Structures are given as C-alpha cells and as structure tokens.
Amino acid sequence: MERVHVERSTIKYYLNRVHCLSSITDIEEKHNFILNTFLAFQKDGWSLALHPQVCRCLEELITDANVECIALLLKILSKGWGRLINSKFAYHLLHKALSKCQTAEYNADELIVDHIQSFCTHMKENLSVYITNSHATHTCRIYPQILAGVRLEKDKKTNTYKSAVQLVTPYDENYIQSLNKLCKEFLFTKALKNHVVNEHLCPFIQVLLLVASARLPDVFTKKFKKVMKYSGLFSLNLQEDDLITRYLDSYAHPVATYFAELLVEVMPGANFAKFLNTHILSECSLSLDSNDSNPVTVADILMSNQTASRVLRAVIRRLVKPVDIKNFFTVIQSCKSNKFGIRSIIPNKQHGILTDLADLCIRHPSEEFQRTFLRMLPSIFGFTEKHSSSKSKEDLFIRCLVGMITLSELNEHITNQSVQEKDNNDDNQYFDNKEDLVNPVTVPGCLFVESLFKFTYAHPIKVINSLLSQSPKRLIAWAQHYQLSRVLEALILSESVISELKITLLKSLMNGFSVLACHPSGSHVVEALWTATNTLPQPIIYKELMAEQLSNANNHLHSHKYGHFIYKKLSLELYKCNKTLWLTRNKSTQAINNKRLAVGKSQGKFVYSLK
C-alpha cells in the first residue's frame, strides 16, 4: 500500500504534541491534552495514521490516554478498518488501542464496546482475506484475544508466546460459538498440517491454540489428540530415506517447531505423560557407527539439532513428577553416542538444554536429581566420568564450563595461545594479558555455572574445586570480567560452598584487592567477600585482613568512582584513625548478625515442624 502524503507542518504538529506531553505532570491536564490531539486527528482524517511518523506519535499518546480518549480514537479508526488493517504502519496504532481496552474499566464503556464489536464483526467477515496478507496477519492474531478476552504475553528474550495467559472480560457475548467456529476452521482440521508450516499463518494458529486452551478447556482436552494428529509434527516422515531426517523432519521445521513447542507447553497432563514415553523417550532404530552404542531415543536426536531442541527444552520445562524426571535422566544418560545425546550438546552449541536441565534440578530440588546431573557434566564436556580436580595445576573443568567448549577444544585454544605468545614475545606481568587469562568465556556458560551454585542438596564439588584450583593471577583477572565476576560472586554467596573454600578464594584474591576495589566488576566481588565474612568462623579476623589490605590505598579509594563504595562499606577511614573502635563496631555488628541467623534458623525449624 502506498504511503499517504502528509504536509510537513502536520507531521511537525504531532511531533510537537508528543514532546509537549512529556512536560505535563497533572493527570487531568494530560488527558485533556491527548483528547485535543485526537480531535485534531479526527479533523485531519484517519488516513493520517498511514504515515509512519504520525502513527508513531499517536501510539505514544495512547499510553497516558483515558477511556474517553480511547473511545474517540477507536471511533476515528473505525472509519477505515480495511485499509488500516492492511497498512504497513497504522495497524500498530490499532493494536495498541485494542490492547489498552483489555481491562474492566474500558469494557464498561458502551462506545468502546460498540467499536470493538464492530471490529470483531469486520474481522469475522474478512478473516479469510486478511489471513494471507503479510501486514493484516498481525491483526488476525489480536482478533481471537479480543474476541474471547484472553491477554497473551511474549517472552522478551525469544519473542515467542508464553503459555501462561490472563483472562479478561470478552467483548463478544457469543465468543464461545465464534471461537468454536475458528477452531473448527483452523485448529481441529486436517489442514492444520499445512497451517503450522506457513510462516504467516502459524503465529495465528499459536494464538488460537492458547486462546482455545484457556477458554474452551473441555473441548480442547477432548480434541487434543486430533490436534496432534492433524499437525503431523509427531509422526515419522516415511518419505525420507535418511533415518535421522525421518525422525527429525517433524520437529526441525523452522516454522512448525514454534507450534510444536507451544503445543507441549499447553498439553494436558495425561497427554503429556503419554507423549513423553511414546515419543520423546522412545527408541529409534538408527544405524550408528561401531563406536556408538544403542539405544538412541528421540530425545537424543533432538539434542543434536538446533531447531528441534526447542521442543525438547519445552518438554524439560514441563517435567514435574519425580518419576518422569528420574526416567528422563536415566534415558538421556544411557546414550553413549558422540553424534547424539548429551555428548552432542556442546559440539552442537545447544547450551540452552544444559541451562534448562539445571533449572529443572533447582525447580524440583532433590539430592538424587542434582547429583545425577552433576555426574553427567564431565562426560558432556569431554572429561572422564570420574574426573577429579588437580591440586598441583590449574584444572580445566571450570574453564570448559564458562566457555561452553569441550576439553579438546580448550586444549587446542591453549596450544594456539601459547604459540601466539611465543611469536609476540609478550611480557608476563601480573595484570597483563587479561584476555588470555579470561578467554574462552561465554554468557550462557557463566549463567550456567551460577545456576549450579544454587544446588542446595548435592553440592557441585568438582566445579568449586576446579574454580579454586585456578591461579591467583587468573582469578583476579576473572574478578575484573563483567560476567566471570558474577560467577565468583555466586560462589562466594552460595550456601553450597563451605567456609573453608570461601576463605581459600579470599586469600587467592587478597593481593589484588586494591585493584579490584577500583574496578566496576571487581568491586562487587570485594563487596561479596565482605558480606560473606559474616558466615565464616571468627569473621573479625577476615574483616580485619581485608581492611588491612585496602588501607594502603585509602586516599585513592576515597576519591575513586567505584572505590569509594568499598571505602564506605568497610569503614576504612575509621579503621585508619581508630582501629580499636572499628574492631568493636564490627564485633557488635557480627553479634547482631549471629542473633538474626539464629532466629532465622529457629523459625525455619518451627515452620518445618508445622509442615
């Protein structure tokens, strides 16, 4: 659709209105200001919204608009539903106005109800046309939500629909009949197989799936088997000669996988239990190399594919029953193939699976599950199953975890690094070559290690020991890294780490305190260590040790952008001027903390006894 021509002065008017709105503080004055702007918009004509700049300005006004303003805006937009919905920009304005109306306050206004019912009628009559239009299809996704009174949210990271929905008052009194008709036409039909692979239609089907599961629970449960069957996503593609493709084809479609993922999330409990055992954990007859061992399940194959793994991750998030979790861990552990299963996770960069498994162990805490998962980690990263940290040299396990790479890849990286250092004749000064000390590192790897430190039943001993085996030079460099510093913080503040190990880390970082205290990331590590001293035996000893190390840099810390936080936190001025008083105050603070800790524990025991 061609862009409408708008005078420059008109565009400037709406831009100025948005700018002026930000300076108005009185709510009533804001409402009047927005109403007057919409009146001007009414005078200029609804087609003005087809211009991108004007449309964006009007969108910004909706945030602070009241019922009267929205009623007027919908009245203006209702003059051209067709062109508005098919437009490249204006449909955004319509969506924001409709979303604003999904509350009881707006639903009580007769004018708004009339306009939205007019919109629903228009969509009902023209849905078959709009569903194929690249711009109009976005409004098609809003239609079922408005019709049945269901508010959907999208995940901010993945931009996919969340399975959790919010029910609001529907604008169509006969929404059940209308929704049933939509489901019969698009969801409970053999044509569903074609719908879920259509990039324009699949998002609409996802919305319909969520709305139907929320508003038609009985019908949805009854018809769910048909949905699975008609989607064709969970059956073998017998037309494929390649056995792997035959199993993966239904899961690995770049569009359909999003529907499959959502289908798993809204799957009724009984259907999910059956799906888990008969599909995900079922064995596949694949011709593997002689080095690989059977059995291989669908879950193992899904782990090796970037797209198909989305379905497996949805399954992991759905696991609740201890029996199912135990069975799942047992099955994925049994696969010894390097091409599939848990050993293929890192080479194929399916880091999300590990994160979801760790979250599963945290969400359903059990010593058995946490211990099982921790035992799996060495083999996943290319170590022997009985790997133990070396005491004489730096252990590589933690570096593999934060870098999300296998042992062989890390060894190759270290070799290349050594060759490069020799070629460049680098100086080995204490704080030089931070990148060499830090890399390889990834955000998913650091977040994964942080989640391991949240295990409360089975402690990640191998991970902790591996981290503490690193040289002070490397640990100080890690403390200055924006993400690795959070790993150290997580270890310091973790309940899974015993006091002796926290003391070991404190001593390793001690010589770098003055540098870390003035670093944006390192200062947080120092602060975490100071906080952790309250849980150590004889905390005043370690508090004094930290203060003594930092007292030499008092003047620098006092005036430093980051250092002054540590300067105040540790009361270094008092330590320098009156050490006796400093010791007295910190001892009294410790006594108070001990009392609070004792009360907390006693209350915890009391609550536990009540249970």
Side-chain angles (χ1 to χ4, degrees):
M1 183 176 289
E2 295 183 6
R3 186 182 297 181
V4 65
H5 175 72
V6 181
E7 294 293 333
R8 192 174 184 85
S9 58
T10 305
I11 298 172
K12 191 174 181 180
Y13 167 78
Y14 286 99
L15 289 170
N16 288 336
R17 297 295 285 183
V18 172
H19 178 71
C20 292
L21 181 66
S22 60
S23 62
I24 302 174
T25 55
D26 184 71
I27 296 176
E28 190 174 344
E29 189 179 346
K30 267 189 178 183
H31 292 162
N32 291 331
F33 183 87
I34 294 169
L35 184 63
N36 290 329
T37 308
F38 285 165
L39 286 169
F41 174 48
Q42 184 182 32
K43 185 179 178 181
D44 292 332
W46 69 267
S47 60
L48 202 66
L50 299 175
H51 191 279
Q53 283 183 289
V54 176
C55 179
R56 198 173 296 115
C57 291
L58 293 170
E59 275 188 74
E60 291 186 36
L61 295 175
I62 289 177
T63 305
D64 296 309
N66 62 358
V67 174
E68 187 181 3
C69 297
I70 296 298
L72 176 60
L73 179 61
L74 288 174
K75 180 183 177 181
I76 300 166
L77 298 179
S78 65
K79 302 297 182 182
W81 290 130
R83 284 189 66 192
L84 197 72
I85 292 167
N86 280 309
S87 68
K88 187 177 181 180
F89 304 105
Y91 75 85
H92 290 287
L93 179 64
L94 174 63
H95 291 184
K96 195 158 186 178
L98 291 173
S99 298
K100 184 92 172 177
C101 295
Q102 286 189 300
T103 59
E105 180 187 4
Y106 291 85
N107 195 274
D109 187 87
E110 292 182 3
L111 285 175
I112 289 178
V113 171
D114 287 342
H115 292 312
I116 292 184
Q117 285 179 349
S118 168
F119 164 77
C120 290
T121 302
H122 178 84
M123 288 299 300
K124 185 178 180 180
E125 294 171 352
N126 298 277
L127 186 63
S128 58
V129 178
Y130 290 148
I131 206 75
T132 56
N133 184 288
S134 58
H135 298 308
T137 187
H138 295 282
T139 307
C140 293
R141 302 169 202 171
I142 296 290
Y143 168 53
Q145 300 178 52
I146 297 295
L147 176 76
V150 178
R151 183 192 287 271
L152 304 182
E153 290 185 11
K154 281 192 171 184
D155 189 283
K156 292 181 180 179
K157 293 181 181 178
T158 61
N159 198 35
T160 55
Y161 289 107
K162 293 181 179 180
S163 57
V165 301
Q166 180 185 352
L167 298 180
V168 295
T169 307
Y171 279 92
D172 187 348
E173 294 179 355
N174 300 317
Y175 75 90
I176 293 179
Q177 295 177 2
S178 303
L179 190 57
N180 266 317
K181 188 177 179 181
L182 281 176
C183 289
K184 286 179 181 178
E185 185 177 354
F186 293 100
L187 198 60
F188 308 144
T189 172
K190 292 181 179 179
L192 182 62
K193 186 175 183 179
N194 297 324
H195 295 340
V196 296
V197 296
N198 186 308
E199 61 181 354
H200 296 303
L201 198 52
C202 185
F204 170 74
I205 300 298
Q206 292 177 49
V207 170
L208 195 58
L209 180 74
L210 290 171
V211 173
S213 65
R215 284 299 190 185
L216 305 172
D218 295 335
V219 176
F220 182 77
T221 303
K222 187 178 179 180
K223 300 275 189 179
F224 188 80
K225 287 184 179 179
K226 284 189 176 181
V227 175
M228 289 190 69
K229 180 182 177 181
Y230 292 155
S231 68
L233 296 175
F234 308 108
S235 56
L236 294 178
N237 187 354
L238 300 176
Q239 296 178 352
E240 291 289 344
D241 295 328
D242 183 60
L243 290 173
I244 298 173
T245 309
R246 184 178 292 185
Y247 283 98
L248 268 181
D249 187 61
S250 57
Y251 295 94
H253 192 279
V255 176
T257 188
Y258 292 99
F259 178 79
E261 180 185 10
L262 200 60
L263 199 62
V264 170
E265 292 179 3
V266 299
M267 200 176 282
N271 297 88
F272 176 75
K274 186 177 179 181
F275 172 74
L276 180 66
N277 293 310
T278 60
H279 286 78
I280 299 299
L281 301 182
S282 62
E283 292 184 15
C284 306
S285 54
L286 299 176
S287 55
L288 299 174
D289 298 334
S290 57
N291 295 330
D292 296 330
S293 58
N294 282 318
V296 173
T297 64
V298 173
D300 297 321
I301 299 176
L302 295 180
M303 286 184 192
S304 64
N305 186 275
Q306 185 176 1
T307 305
S309 63
R310 296 186 66 91
V311 180
L312 181 65
R313 292 180 64 186
V315 169
I316 294 171
R317 291 193 294 269
R318 271 297 305 269
L319 291 172
V320 176
K321 293 183 178 180
V323 176
D324 291 338
I325 298 173
K326 184 178 180 179
N327 190 26
F328 185 84
F329 275 126
T330 302
V331 170
I332 63 174
Q333 273 185 291
S334 63
C335 180
K336 304 300 179 183
S337 168
N338 292 322
K339 191 175 181 181
F340 307 108
I342 57 175
R343 296 173 189 266
S344 69
I345 290 176
I346 301 303
N348 290 305
K349 301 189 183 302
Q350 300 306 306
H351 310 147
I353 295 175
L354 285 180
T355 305
D356 285 334
L357 287 172
D359 289 341
L360 175 66
C361 293
I362 296 169
R363 198 167 61 248
H364 303 286
S366 161
E367 184 177 357
E368 181 185 3
F369 299 151
Q370 291 181 359
R371 195 176 299 281
T372 300
F373 181 61
L374 290 172
R375 284 175 180 169
M376 290 164 54
L377 290 181
S379 58
I380 291 174
F381 287 89
F383 292 83
T384 58
E385 291 185 6
K386 295 184 178 180
H387 169 75
S388 58
S389 301
S390 173
K391 295 182 180 179
S392 59
K393 59 180 181 179
E394 290 184 323
D395 185 69
L396 300 180
F397 187 43
I398 185 65
R399 295 184 64 186
C400 287
L401 291 178
V402 296
M404 280 290 168
I405 58 175
T406 60
L407 177 60
S408 58
E409 290 174 320
L410 180 59
N411 284 328
E412 185 179 349
H413 171 82
I414 293 171
T415 303
N416 294 337
Q417 193 179 73
S418 301
V419 172
Q420 191 175 3
E421 283 179 0
K422 288 180 181 179
D423 292 341
N424 296 334
N425 295 319
D426 290 338
D427 296 328
N428 294 321
Q429 294 181 11
Y430 199 76
F431 289 106
D432 283 352
N433 305 324
K434 285 182 188 175
E435 290 187 5
D436 294 341
L437 293 169
V438 165
N439 289 328
V441 59
T442 62
V443 172
C446 292
L447 293 174
F448 174 65
V449 175
E450 288 176 47
S451 65
L452 293 180
F453 291 142
K454 295 177 184 177
F455 284 17
T456 52
Y457 288 89
H459 300 170
I461 302 299
K462 290 181 180 179
V463 180
I464 296 168
N465 289 339
S466 179
L467 191 150
L468 295 177
S469 72
Q470 306 305 305
S471 65
K473 183 179 178 180
R474 188 179 301 280
L475 289 173
I476 291 170
W478 281 23
Q480 295 173 79
H481 187 268
Y482 74 99
Q483 197 64 48
L484 285 169
S485 62
R486 294 178 181 270
V487 173
L488 295 179
E489 282 184 68
L491 183 143
I492 293 164
L493 301 175
S494 173
E495 295 179 3
S496 303
V497 183
I498 59 175
S499 299
E500 288 77 4
L501 298 178
K502 292 182 181 181
I503 293 169
T504 302
L505 180 61
L506 186 149
K507 291 179 178 178
S508 297
L509 296 173
M510 195 164 55
N511 291 333
F513 277 170
S514 57
V515 174
L516 297 179
C518 296
H519 192 273
S521 298
S523 57
H524 289 287
V525 176
V526 175
E527 187 176 355
L529 282 169
W530 177 261
T531 303
T533 56
N534 294 324
T535 63
L536 302 179
Q538 297 180 315
I540 194 63
I541 295 175
Y542 302 103
K543 287 181 182 290
E544 187 178 358
L545 187 64
M546 291 183 69
E548 186 63 35
Q549 284 290 326
L550 290 165
S551 61
N552 296 328
N554 255 4
N555 295 332
H556 180 59
L557 291 173
H558 177 62
S559 58
H560 194 271
K561 181 180 179 181
Y562 302 107
H564 79 276
F565 291 107
I566 300 298
Y567 182 83
K568 290 182 179 179
K569 184 80 175 179
L570 274 64
S571 304
L572 293 178
E573 184 178 359
L574 179 62
Y575 180 83
K576 186 177 181 180
C577 299
N578 193 337
K579 187 175 179 180
T580 305
L581 181 59
W582 184 91
L583 289 168
T584 304
R585 286 186 178 179
N586 277 285
K587 284 178 180 178
S588 61
T589 303
Q590 178 57 33
I592 294 170
N593 288 333
N594 287 338
K595 285 183 180 179
R596 287 176 179 172
L597 187 63
V599 170
K601 287 183 178 179
S602 63
Q603 287 179 346
K605 289 179 181 178
F606 177 70
V607 171
Y608 181 77
S609 64
L610 287 177
K611 290 180 180 179

